[in-house]
Amino acid sequence: MAQPNALTTPPPGSDTHVGAHTEQPAPHKGAFPPFESHTFLSQLIWLALAFGLLYYLMDKVALPRIQAILHDRANRLSSDLDEAQRMKSEADAAGAAYEKSLADAQSKARDIAQETRNALAAEAETKRKALEADLNQKLAASEATIRQRTGEAMGNVREIAGETASAIVERLTGQAPDQASLDRALDRAATAH
Amino acid sequence: MAVSVDPIHQFELQPLVSLGHIGNQQIAFTQSALYMFAAVGVIALLTIVATSGRSIVPSRMQSLAEIFYEFIADTLHQATGDEGKRFLPLVFSLFMFVLILNLFGMIPYAFAVTSHLIITFGLAALVIGVVIGYGVMKHGSHFFGLFVPSGVPKPLLAILVPIEIISFVSRPISLSVRLFANILAGHIAMKIFAFFVAALLSAGAWSVLSPLPLALTIALTALEFLVAALQAYVFATLTAIYLNDALHPGH
């Protein structure tokens, strides 16, 4: 070993050496420091004072304060959670109300659209009917006019045919047929048709 | 190159202020007392100053204080149930005191207060004193039922009761010696292995071996940090278990 004499030769030390940790071999009196009983009372006194002070501080100040902090935090957390739960249910209710009003608005819009469609259809129908009636009326009037004109024309035909027949007969026979035989012949021809 | 090779030197008390004698007792304010008050100061700083903000969202130091609080409160609650709450200041103070003193001892050149048996014995005696005092106050003579296992035939009691008493009496001894011996042995081992580094370095060719004790010293230092925290925890846990006997005597 490098310094074989350090352990075995304690220097002539005084009872109360005041060196801090130096790099010199320590002056100790051979007794093992933890078992030097003449220091026990002193150590116990300082231990009692220090630990008593510590206990007093912990008991009166530190632990009640930390306990209060933890308690407050737990309260705060649970109240915040409750608040969050309440807000969430409020938000859910608002969401449901929104959905409902949306659905209402949609069905209302559908109703209005349907109504409008119906109204428009009805209006178109009446217009169409009016137009049809008008047209039918005009058609009927036209037909009546045509029938009248046809009748008139047919009347004229008989007259023309009579005149023509009387002219033909006069040319062939040299004498004009009397009106009565002419009418008869015309009637026969008309019925033969 | 002069190196302090005396691994015992670190445990010597250095009187800072000598206050005289009582009988053969030397009364002095030593560095040990200074370290104890420094520990009280550090603990107060951690648990009182750091929590003065009382913030809902804690600062780092307040968070540390809360972690220590909850750790000890949980340990105590597991050992003693709800009635043990009144001992929280005691167990918390013991844990913090031992922990900080052990950790102080890990600072190079610092003094390890818990390496003195009288200190650890003083704390252990306080614990056992509280156990006996509170047990007798709360349960009267029924407290001594602690020494009489129930459901055991009478003849066996003659053997078992002395065993129980011996086991109870040895509690303060084991509690104090465990802490003292762990800290003492750890510090001696660190000192010796650290000395080997220096000794090998000044031993010529042997100096190539010096990294070996250096690695060991580093590993031991890490281990000693673990021991420092673990012994404080063990002390607090055993205190809680012994207090449980005062609260619920009888097997």
Side-chain angles (χ1 to χ4, degrees), chain A residues 18-83:
Chain A
V18 280
H21 276 263
T22 63
E23 296 304 295
Q24 295 301 321
H28 73 91
K29 300 167 292 294
F32 187 49
F35 295 148
E36 281 180 310
S37 58
H38 66 86
T39 65
F40 283 1
L41 182 61
S42 172
Q43 291 202 62
L44 283 177
I45 291 170
W46 295 118
L47 172 66
L49 288 176
F51 192 76
L53 175 65
L54 177 67
Y55 184 88
Y56 177 80
L57 288 176
M58 294 300 108
D59 187 35
K60 296 291 174 220
V61 188
L63 296 183
R65 184 186 292 174
I66 297 175
Q67 204 162 18
I69 291 170
L70 294 176
H71 190 251
D72 285 355
R73 182 174 309 144
N75 278 351
R76 175 72 177 275
L77 278 180
S78 67
S79 78
D80 279 5
L81 282 178
D82 287 352
E83 179 76 2

Side-chain angles (χ1 to χ4, degrees), chain B residues 99-217:
Chain B
L99 177 69
I100 298 297
L101 286 178
N102 286 351
L103 289 177
F104 273 174
M106 294 306 295
I107 301 170
Y109 295 104
F111 177 75
V113 178
T114 42
S115 67
H116 274 253
L117 180 58
I118 189 67
I119 297 290
T120 61
F121 185 78
L123 294 174
L126 172 69
V127 170
I128 297 302
V130 168
V131 168
I132 295 174
Y134 184 80
V136 171
M137 191 189 81
K138 186 92 184 290
H139 304 284
S141 60
H142 179 64
F143 172 69
F144 296 104
L146 188 63
F147 303 124
V148 185
S150 60
V152 174
K154 290 260 183 222
L156 268 180
L157 282 181
I159 308 167
L160 282 178
V161 168
I163 290 176
E164 290 283 339
I165 290 174
I166 290 168
S167 121
F168 187 84
V169 169
S170 63
R171 279 175 179 183
I173 299 169
S174 70
L175 192 59
S176 54
V177 170
R178 181 183 300 111
L179 175 58
F180 152 74
N182 266 286
I183 302 302
L184 184 83
H187 281 259
I188 290 176
M190 280 197 290
K191 188 86 175 180
I192 288 175
F193 279 108
F195 162 70
F196 280 163
V197 181
L200 281 171
L201 277 177
S202 57
W206 291 106
S207 61
V208 292
L209 290 178
S210 61
L212 291 175
L214 177 64
L216 251 170
T217 307

